Amino acid sequence: MTQLIEELSRTKVGCHIDGVCINNISYADDMVLLSPSIGALKRLIKICESYAAAHGLKYNTQKSEIMIFKSGSKCYSLPNVTLCGSSLNRVEKFKYLGHWVTENLTDNTDIERERRSLAVRCNMLARRFARCTKQFKVTLFKAYCQSFYTCSLWVNYTRRAYNDLRVQYNNALRIIMGLPRYCSASGMFAEAHVDGFEAIMRKRCASMLNRMRTSTNMILSVLADRWDSPMLGRWINLHTVRHATT
């Protein structure tokens, strides 16, 4: 895979940020190709096909998809794009490494994914550990209900979707601890010595920015140094705007 990544990067065909070409994002055998045009995308796909043929590999075309990131309300027609002779299906969203990416670049779908997952984990803990001590329940809550997988990537979402997740988080502690439904959220978190929802979001976002700025990865460095970065904008918003807790 390293050879393929290097070959793709050497083409300089793809999306560019501050002069840095970003045409592929890869993790293990999962790869995403990024291109500003269909012609450039087909050229990148051809390189992937040649690499696979030379190394005796075969792409799973059933799991390979194509998505166009929309600009406003514009509609785009898409010519046929193939991989190893099979047409790629166009989708409005796809899950990459557990994170939902949508064509309009909103994070509501991924936030809802996390909300549902949190509800499942909360109910499981409440059923299995109902007779445990309060301190043990708090330990379980911190371990299973505070992960918020990929939350540091959320930058474009509706207040409703965000609040639904916050309410689910607050209710999770109430359910696990056996507290009244309408008890004070700030009070129960203070008593249990547990971070509230907004505190967790601030810490996750700050941690992500710090790791990006100290990373040796060229792509991450470019993104971290931009003052118009959506992630930096969210970090500033989280640390300057106070949200009410219910």
Side-chain angles (χ1 to χ4, degrees):
M1 284 295 292
T2 301
Q3 181 182 342
L4 175 58
I5 293 172
E6 292 176 349
E7 187 173 351
L8 288 169
S9 300
R10 282 197 300 268
T11 64
K12 302 300 181 181
V13 173
C15 300
H16 290 75
I17 299 179
D18 290 345
V20 176
C21 180
I22 304 176
N23 59 17
N24 73 92
I25 301 175
S26 304
Y27 182 83
D29 60 346
D30 288 319
M31 174 176 284
V32 173
L33 299 179
L34 301 173
S35 170
S37 67
I38 293 298
L41 177 62
K42 289 182 177 181
R43 181 177 173 184
L44 296 176
I45 290 177
K46 187 174 181 62
I47 293 174
C48 293
E49 291 174 335
S50 299
Y51 178 87
H55 292 80
L57 303 177
K58 185 177 181 180
Y59 287 104
N60 187 339
T61 55
Q62 298 300 315
K63 293 184 178 181
S64 300
E65 300 166 328
I66 184 171
M67 185 172 72
I68 295 179
F69 293 108
K70 291 184 175 180
S71 176
S73 59
K74 292 182 179 180
C75 295
Y76 300 87
S77 60
L78 181 66
N80 187 44
V81 178
T82 62
L83 174 63
C84 299
S86 299
S87 298
L88 297 179
N89 292 325
R90 179 178 175 179
V91 297
E92 297 179 351
K93 62 180 181 179
F94 75 95
K95 182 181 283 189
Y96 183 63
L97 302 181
H99 179 89
W100 279 107
V101 181
T102 61
E103 63 180 4
N104 58 3
L105 294 177
T106 59
D107 298 304
N108 292 336
T109 300
D110 197 62
I111 292 176
E112 177 61 15
R113 181 267 312 159
E114 181 60 24
R115 189 195 68 78
R116 290 174 180 269
S117 178
L118 175 59
V120 171
R121 297 195 301 270
C122 163
N123 292 331
M124 178 272 294
L125 294 176
R127 288 196 311 269
R128 296 186 180 182
F129 303 98
R131 298 183 180 181
C132 294
T133 64
K134 289 184 177 181
Q135 188 55 49
F136 187 72
K137 290 180 179 179
V138 169
T139 301
L140 289 173
F141 180 82
K142 291 180 178 179
Y144 288 93
C145 299
Q146 291 188 334
S147 61
F148 294 118
Y149 181 67
T150 72
C151 68
S152 52
L153 299 178
W154 299 337
V155 296
N156 183 17
Y157 48 82
T158 62
R159 177 52 55 183
R160 178 177 180 178
Y162 196 69
N163 282 341
D164 285 347
L165 178 59
R166 176 178 57 80
V167 171
Q168 185 70 61
Y169 175 74
N170 293 350
N171 288 338
L173 183 59
R174 292 187 179 104
I175 294 171
I176 292 174
M177 302 300 291
L179 299 172
R181 182 176 181 181
Y182 295 105
C183 67
S184 169
S186 57
M188 69 177 181
F189 285 122
E191 183 178 350
H193 301 288
V194 173
D195 283 338
F197 181 77
E198 296 296 345
I200 292 176
M201 291 297 137
R202 288 194 295 270
K203 289 181 178 180
R204 295 289 189 277
C205 192
S207 175
M208 171 64 80
L209 277 177
N210 179 64
R211 283 179 288 153
M212 289 177 62
R213 287 173 172 172
T214 57
S215 173
T216 57
N217 183 283
M218 183 169 56
I219 295 177
L220 292 180
S221 299
V222 170
L223 296 176
D225 290 339
R226 292 186 64 91
W227 285 101
D228 59 350
S229 166
M231 293 181 62
L232 178 60
R234 182 175 180 235
W235 181 87
I236 294 174
N237 181 66
L238 286 172
H239 285 77
T240 57
V241 180
R242 181 179 180 182
H243 302 292
T245 302
T246 60

